[in-house]
C-alpha cells in the first residue's frame, strides 16, 4: 500500500523505526477507531486545553496555538456533521484527529503533541467521557426516583401484601413499597456522585509514563477541563482505570435494582396476581393467543441489564494482571464501558416510563393483603402487649390459631372469640381490632415503617431532597 504525501500511512505515523505497515490481521487487532471515535468531543477538548497551555507556558507560539484551536473546532464540526473520514490505518481517534488537523492547518499540527503521549491523552479522554456518563446516570436516576415517588404519593395508604420468600408475610402500603425503590436508587445515585468526585483528577501531562521535561502547567489544563486537580503520580495516571471500574460497579448495582423491579412487574402484571396494569407502550401481544398482553419491556430489561455485570467482570479481568504502567490490553477497556453505559441509560429511561405509566389495582392489592394469614404477627404482638406473654409463647399460640383457621377454611379475623379462647383463655374481643389489614398498617408507626403517616413523612422528605 502506497500512501499519498498528504495521507500518512501507519508506518509513517510510527516514524522511521518501522519499514513496513501492519498486515490486515494485525491492523484489525490493533485499530480501535471503530469504537473509540465516540471519544471525539473529549479528545478535541483535551487537545484544545493542551494547546492553550503550551502557548501560555511559551512552549508553543500564540500563532500556532490559535491555528490549532481553530483547526480543532473545524474537525469537531466535521465529525458532528457526519462528514469526517475516519480511517482505520490511523488506528484511533487521536491520530485521526491529528491527521485531519494537519490537512487543515499544515505544519503547526505537528506541534500539538509536544509534552504529551497517547497514553495520557487516552487517559484524559476516557476519564472525561466516563465523568459525563456519571452525570447522565445521576440525571436518569433523579427522573426514576421521581416516578416512584409519584406512585408512592398516589397510594400512600393503599394496602397490599408484603412478601418474604414470595409468600404473603405482613400487610404493607403501596406507597411504602414504592419508597423502597426510591431508597435503593438514591444509594445508586450517591455511588455515581462519589465515583465522579473521586475520578475528577486530570491525567493530562503525565505523558507516556514519567512526566515531561517541558515546563508545562498541569493545573491549567486540569482547570480548563473541569477537573479539581491534576493527578499526583505519572505512573498511576496512565495505568489507572479505577474510574471506569467504579462506574461499572455503580452501574452493576443499579442494574441489579432495575432488574429486581422488572421481575416484580412481570409477576405483578400476570393474570395470577393482577396487582398492576402496564400500558400498551410497554407491552406486546402474542402471535397466536389474542388475549395475551406480555410485559416484554420488563423482561427484556431483566435480560439486558446482565450485560452491565458482564462488562464489569470483563474489565476487572483485563486489569487484574497488568504490571505498571500502560499495556495494549487496556485498549479493550472502552467497548465494555460504552456498552454498559448505553444499556444503563436505556434501562433507566425504560423503567422510568414503565413506572410512570403503570396503574395499581387497588382492590386486588387489598384483597391479596388480607390473604395468607397476613395479620398473624399483629395477633402475636397483641398477645405480648395485652396479655404479657413472652413473644415465643405468643408465637406458638398464634401458630396454633393459624392452624385452626386453616383447618376451618377461614382467615384469622373470621375465627370466633370462642375458638380463639379454646387456644388461650385470656384472649378478649378487642383482639379483632388488630386483625384487619388497615389496622395492621396503621399500627406500624416506627420510623421507616409502613404506616401511612410514616409513608407521607418520607414522601415529603424525598420531595424536598429532589426539589
Amino acid at each position: 500500500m502506497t500512501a499519498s504525501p498528504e495521507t500518512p500511512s501507519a508506518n509513517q505515523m510510527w516514524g522511521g523505526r518501522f519499514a513496513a505497515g501492519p498486515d490486515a490481521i494485525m491492523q484489525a487487532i490493533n485499530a480501535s477507531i471503530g469504537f473509540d471515535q465516540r471519544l471525539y468531543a473529549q479528545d478535541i477538548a483535551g487537545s484544545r486545553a493542551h494547546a492553550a497551555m503550551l502557548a501560555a507556558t511559551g512552549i508553543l507560539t500564540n500563532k500556532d496555538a490559535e491555528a490549532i484551536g481553530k483547526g480543532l473546532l473545524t474537525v469537531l464540526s466535521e465529525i458532528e456533521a457526519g462528514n469526517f473520514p475516519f480511517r482505520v490505518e490511523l488506528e484511533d481517534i487521536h491520530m485521526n484527529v491529528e491527521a485531519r488537523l494537519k490537512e487543515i492547518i499544515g505544519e503547526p499540527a505537528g506541534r500539538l503533541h509536544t509534552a504529551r503521549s497517547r497514553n495520557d491523552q487516552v487517559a484524559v479522554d476516557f476519564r472525561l467521557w466516563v465523568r459525563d456518563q456519571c452525570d447522565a446516570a445521576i440525571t436518569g436516576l433523579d427522573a426514576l426516583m421521581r416516578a416512584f415517588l409519584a406512585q408512592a404519593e398516589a397510594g400512600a395508604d393503599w394496602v397490599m401484601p408484603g412478601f418474604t420468600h414470595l409468600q404473603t408475610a405482613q400487610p404493607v402500603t403501596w406507597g411504602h413499597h414504592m419508597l423502597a425503590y426510591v431508597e435503593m436508587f438514591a444509594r445508586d445515585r450517591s455511588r455515581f456522585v462519589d465515583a465522579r468526585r473521586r475520578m475528577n483528577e486530570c491525567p493530562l501531562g503525565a505523558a507516556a509514563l514519567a512526566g515531561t521535561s517541558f515546563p508545562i502547567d498541569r493545573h491549567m489544563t486540569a482547570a480548563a477541563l473541569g477537573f479539581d486537580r491534576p493527578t499526583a503520580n505519572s505512573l498511576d495516571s496512565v495505568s489507572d482505570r479505577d474510574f471506569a471500574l467504579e462506574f461499572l460497579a455503580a452501574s452493576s448495582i443499579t442494574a441489579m435494582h432495575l432488574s429486581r423491579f422488572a421481575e416484580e412487574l412481570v409477576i405483578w402484571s400476570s393474570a395470577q396476581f393482577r396487582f398492576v396494569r402496564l400500558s400498551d407502550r410497554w407491552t406486546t401481544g402474542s402471535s397466536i393467543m389474542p388475549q395475551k398482553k406480555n410485559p416484554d419491556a420488563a423482561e427484556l430489561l431483566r435480560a439486558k441489564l446482565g450485560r452491565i455485570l458482564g462488562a464489569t467482570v470483563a474489565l476487572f479481568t483485563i486489569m487484574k494482571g497488568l504490571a505498571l504502567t500502560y499495556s495494549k490490553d487496556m485498549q479493550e477497556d472502552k467497548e465494555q464501558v460504552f456498552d454498559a453505559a448505553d444499556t444503563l441509560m436505556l434501562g433507566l429511561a425504560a423503567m422510568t416510563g414503565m413506572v410512570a405509566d403503570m396503574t395499581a389495582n387497588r382492590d386486588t392489592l387489598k384483597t391479596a393483603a388480607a390473604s395468607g394469614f397476613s395479620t398473624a404477627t399483629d395477633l402475636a404482638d397483641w398477645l405480648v402487649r395485652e396479655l404479657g406473654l413472652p413473644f415465643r409463647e405468643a408465637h406458638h399460640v398464634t401458630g396454633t390459631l393459624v392452624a385452626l383457621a386453616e383447618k376451618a377454611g377461614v382467615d384469622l379475623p373470621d375465627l370466633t372469640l370462642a375458638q380463639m379462647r379454646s387456644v388461650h383463655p385470656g384472649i378478649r374481643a378487642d383482639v379483632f381490632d388488630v386483625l384487619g389489614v388497615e389496622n395492621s398498617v396503621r399500627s406500624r408507626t416506627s420510623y421507616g415503617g409502613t404506616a401511612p403517616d410514616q409513608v407521607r413523612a418520607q414522601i415529603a422528605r424525598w420531595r424536598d431532597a429532589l426539589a
Side-chain angles (χ1 to χ4, degrees):
M1 182 175 87
T2 304
S4 67
E6 297 82 16
T7 306
S9 66
N11 57 303
Q12 284 176 322
M13 178 185 72
W14 288 113
R17 172 64 180 84
F18 294 87
D23 63 24
I25 295 175
M26 179 58 192
Q27 187 178 82
I29 295 172
N30 197 45
S32 59
I33 189 59
F35 53 85
D36 71 11
Q37 61 186 260
R38 290 182 65 159
L39 301 176
Y40 74 88
Q42 291 79 16
D43 191 73
I44 290 171
S47 290
R48 294 187 70 219
H50 185 66
M53 180 275 295
L54 292 177
T57 54
I59 300 169
L60 200 65
T61 66
N62 288 331
K63 180 180 178 181
D64 283 348
E66 184 178 353
I68 289 170
K70 289 181 178 178
L72 287 169
L73 289 178
T74 300
V75 174
L76 179 63
S77 66
E78 289 178 352
I79 296 175
E80 290 179 339
N83 299 323
F84 188 88
F86 290 109
R87 287 157 31 204
V88 174
E89 67 270 17
L90 293 175
E91 292 189 9
D92 56 32
I93 186 61
H94 322 301
M95 298 310 301
N96 268 266
V97 168
E98 186 175 324
R100 179 59 183 143
L101 181 64
K102 186 175 182 181
E103 292 172 352
I104 295 170
I105 69 171
E107 187 265 346
R111 302 185 188 280
L112 173 59
H113 210 53
T114 306
R116 185 177 74 171
S117 164
R118 283 198 297 178
N119 291 357
D120 63 336
Q121 191 177 358
V122 70
V124 74
D125 291 0
F126 197 22
R127 195 175 289 236
L128 285 169
W129 192 90
V130 173
R131 190 178 70 180
D132 289 343
Q133 298 310 301
C134 284
D135 291 339
I138 291 165
T139 300
L141 283 163
D142 284 345
L144 180 57
M145 290 164 66
R146 289 190 180 96
F148 274 108
L149 202 57
Q151 286 284 352
E153 201 161 24
D157 57 358
W158 299 354
V159 182
M160 68 173 288
F163 297 97
T164 60
H165 311 280
L166 204 56
Q167 305 292 318
T168 300
Q170 293 176 284
V172 296
T173 54
W174 173 260
H176 197 51
H177 198 108
M178 295 298 102
L179 285 175
Y181 282 96
V182 175
E183 295 288 339
M184 287 187 211
F185 291 118
R187 292 194 298 273
D188 294 328
R189 185 188 191 280
S190 72
R191 277 183 277 270
F192 285 109
V193 170
D194 188 47
R196 189 197 193 282
R197 182 170 56 248
R198 194 162 24 255
M199 72 177 63
N200 207 35
E201 296 182 344
C202 183
L204 191 59
L209 76 162
T212 178
S213 58
F214 289 94
I216 62 172
D217 185 346
R218 294 190 62 207
H219 290 275
M220 179 180 174
T221 48
L225 294 170
F227 289 105
D228 294 330
R229 64 191 70 84
T231 52
N233 183 285
S234 61
L235 298 172
D236 181 55
S237 300
V238 299
S239 62
D240 169 41
R241 292 298 183 269
D242 288 2
F243 61 92
L245 287 166
E246 284 199 68
F247 171 76
L248 289 176
S251 298
S252 292
I253 300 174
T254 304
M256 178 267 292
H257 290 151
L258 289 168
S259 188
R260 291 184 75 178
F261 192 68
E263 170 71 359
E264 295 209 303
L265 287 179
V266 172
I267 294 170
W268 289 356
S269 63
S270 68
Q272 289 71 29
F273 273 73
R274 296 186 297 111
F275 283 5
V276 299
R277 291 190 301 274
L278 298 177
S279 76
D280 292 347
R281 295 175 61 199
W282 306 105
T283 55
T284 65
S286 166
S287 63
I288 190 173
M289 295 169 285
Q291 83 281 9
K292 295 293 293 298
K293 189 174 183 180
N294 299 324
D296 281 11
E299 292 175 353
L300 286 167
L301 273 189
R302 188 175 56 185
K304 282 181 180 292
L305 292 164
R307 298 164 69 114
I308 298 175
L309 180 59
T312 306
V313 173
L315 186 52
F316 269 106
T317 304
I318 289 167
M319 295 302 299
K320 71 177 181 59
L322 300 185
L324 295 181
T325 56
Y326 181 84
S327 296
K328 195 70 170 181
D329 310 52
M330 292 166 69
Q331 183 170 288
E332 292 298 303
D333 56 3
K334 296 167 200 66
E335 286 182 286
Q336 315 293 340
V337 178
F338 292 162
D339 184 75
D342 291 345
T343 303
L344 177 66
M345 294 312 301
L346 175 64
L348 289 171
M351 188 59 78
T352 299
M354 282 189 281
V355 172
D357 286 358
M358 72 179 179
T359 303
N361 297 321
R362 185 177 180 180
D363 292 340
T364 303
L365 290 170
K366 184 175 181 179
T367 300
S371 67
F373 310 105
S374 64
T375 56
T377 305
D378 297 275
L379 175 55
D381 289 346
W382 185 89
L383 293 170
V384 171
R385 186 172 57 251
E386 299 297 327
L387 303 187
L389 270 62
F391 183 80
R392 286 302 170 200
E393 183 180 347
H395 186 283
H396 177 76
V397 170
T398 302
T400 304
L401 287 168
V402 167
L404 181 63
E406 190 172 38
K407 184 176 181 180
V410 298
D411 207 346
L412 280 173
D414 303 317
L415 290 173
T416 66
L417 181 59
Q419 286 174 310
M420 289 194 176
R421 282 177 170 167
S422 71
V423 176
H424 194 288
I427 296 177
R428 304 188 304 267
D430 59 322
V431 70
F432 293 99
D433 293 339
V434 303
L435 294 182
V437 291
E438 302 280 0
N439 292 333
S440 175
V441 296
R442 277 197 297 268
S443 72
R444 307 291 173 180
T445 56
S446 57
Y447 182 82
T450 194
D453 287 347
Q454 281 293 321
V455 170
R456 291 188 177 98
Q458 294 296 336
I459 290 170
R461 177 175 72 86
W462 278 114
R463 284 286 179 210
D464 290 342
L466 291 170

